[in-house]
């Protein structure tokens, strides 16, 4: 599926939202095929939910950026990941 999608559309940007069924290995496969494609994760769920924090950390391992709808102070826990949060 990833091969078909990547070859057919040659995306410049992939946005991963509420897609827990898509693993980081899939996003890495897209990056391998399209190294100039930006891959981001968008998350609007609350950071006081521990599983959401873990989900953001998981995606930050392979994405270029993570967009989160919260203040800067709360985002310091994600510093040091591959992604810009």
């Amino acid at each position: 599926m990833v091969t078909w999608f990547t070859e057919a559309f040659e995306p410049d940007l992939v946005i991963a939202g509420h897609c827990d069924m898509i693993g980081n290995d899939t996003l890495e496969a897209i990056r391998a095929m399209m190294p100039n494609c930006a891959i981001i994760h968008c998350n609007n769920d609350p950071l006081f939910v521990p599983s959401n924090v873990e989900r953001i950390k998981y995606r930050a391992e392979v994405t270029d950026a993570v967009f989160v709808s919260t203040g800067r102070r709360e985002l310091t826990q994600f510093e040091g990941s591959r992604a810009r949060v």
Side-chain angles (χ1 to χ4, degrees):
M1 178 66 175
V2 173
T3 303
W4 173 84
F5 167 82
T6 305
E7 289 177 354
F9 293 102
E10 297 181 4
D12 295 317
L13 172 67
V14 171
I15 302 172
H18 291 277
C19 57
D20 292 343
M21 292 177 59
I22 297 173
N24 280 356
D25 57 330
T26 300
L27 299 178
E28 289 174 331
I30 293 171
R31 182 178 308 286
M33 294 181 72
M34 301 291 299
N36 295 322
C37 176
I39 301 175
I40 67 165
H41 174 61
C42 183
N43 188 297
N44 294 312
D45 295 330
L47 293 179
F48 59 79
V49 177
S51 62
N52 190 44
V53 171
E54 292 307 312
R55 189 171 14 263
I56 293 170
K57 288 180 180 178
Y58 174 70
R59 289 298 187 203
E61 293 175 3
V62 299
T63 58
D64 297 302
V66 177
F67 294 98
V68 181
S69 58
T70 192
R72 178 70 187 133
R73 185 180 67 228
E74 292 82 6
L75 299 178
T76 58
Q77 62 186 315
F78 304 111
E79 290 177 354
S81 63
R82 180 191 198 287
R84 181 176 179 188
V85 179

